[in-house]
Amino acid sequence: TKVIAEYFDRPAAALTREQALALATTLPAPSVRDPRKPGRRQRAAMAHVTRELDRAPWVFTCLPEGIRP
């Protein structure tokens, strides 16, 4: 939670869908990616994750209602 607060100044449960995607796609390379300012490749990864999750909406059952699609 501290790491998330450092990036977005809010708890994980309060993240928007875009913020959650940006944070998730930061994990493969956290030393070079910034979830506050995703670059072109990170935005492409975010779009890919969105498409995959749209195919499997059951994945979101573990997420709070506010960030489910």
Side-chain angles (χ1 to χ4, degrees):
T1 302
K2 181 182 178 203
V3 172
I4 293 168
E6 287 177 18
Y7 285 120
F8 297 112
D9 197 30
R10 65 181 66 193
L15 292 178
T16 66
R17 184 179 186 191
E18 285 294 311
Q19 290 170 332
L21 283 166
L23 190 62
T25 56
T26 298
L27 294 177
S31 62
V32 295
R33 292 182 177 177
D34 184 347
R36 294 167 294 191
K37 297 179 240 166
R40 182 181 55 82
R41 295 184 88 188
Q42 187 173 353
R43 286 191 310 273
M46 291 167 65
H48 174 75
V49 170
T50 299
R51 285 190 303 276
E52 292 299 313
L53 290 175
D54 286 345
R55 291 181 180 177
W58 56 267
V59 171
F60 288 106
T61 58
C62 67
L63 299 176
E65 289 287 331
I67 62 172
R68 289 185 193 177

